[in-house]
Amino acid sequence: MASRRWMIWAAIAVAVAGVGYLVSRPAGPQGGVVSGDELASLFAGGARVIDVRTPIEYEGGHIPGAENVPVDQLPGAAGVWDREVPIAVYCLSGERSANAAGYLTAQGFTRVYDLGGGIGSWKGDLVTGAQAGDRPGAIATSGRPRMIEFSSDT
């Protein structure tokens, strides 16, 4: 009888410890492939939306408020972004944005989303021109490499 009671208490202790671990463990990265409607909700909730296409593609039509950071310029731009702010990326078909999402996740961004199917799956309006998104810290690009000095002697 005593050994049976001991087994019951041991099982309860293991269950409580397991639940405690699940509740207290740090949240892992979130994100994944999203639809156009989900992207709109993310943007309305404060996500940073990044168009990783070339400047010419961006000027031809982009999601209102999206920033243009071509995929080859992403490492330089993302280095100063807040890794806790949700980021949604898109391109024409989804290939470049999938690579961008993988890169951002590998760099420690915790909530990275990719518009599945690219801009063609966006059902909302598009805007044309080179105007960067209206979010603070948006980067307007010319398609040319840009040098940014982060320190000075003064």
Side-chain angles (χ1 to χ4, degrees), residues 96-121:
R96 287 175 284 181
S97 60
N99 290 334
Y103 172 79
L104 292 169
T105 301
Q107 296 305 306
F109 287 84
T110 58
R111 294 180 285 171
V112 180
Y113 303 89
D114 179 14
L115 177 59
I119 197 168
S121 65

Side-chain angles (χ1 to χ4, degrees), residues 27-139:
Q30 300 174 343
V33 178
V34 295
S35 69
D37 291 338
E38 291 169 318
L39 178 66
S41 294
L42 287 166
F43 192 58
R48 185 176 211 150
V49 178
I50 307 295
D51 183 325
V52 298
R53 300 176 299 157
T54 66
I56 292 172
E57 290 174 295
Y58 179 81
E59 289 173 18
H62 58 272
I63 296 172
E67 301 170 47
N68 183 220
V69 181
V71 72
D72 63 336
Q73 295 179 15
L74 194 61
V80 297
W81 294 345
D82 183 347
R83 285 171 166 65
E84 301 300 318
V85 172
I87 296 181
V89 293
Y90 72 91
C91 65
L92 180 63
S93 66
E95 186 174 333
R96 287 175 284 181
S97 60
N99 290 334
Y103 172 79
L104 292 169
T105 301
Q107 296 305 306
F109 287 84
T110 58
R111 294 180 285 171
V112 180
Y113 303 89
D114 179 14
L115 177 59
I119 197 168
S121 65
W122 176 255
K123 304 300 182 217
D125 293 332
L126 296 176
V127 294
T128 58
Q131 182 64 35
D134 57 1
R135 294 177 54 90
I139 299 172

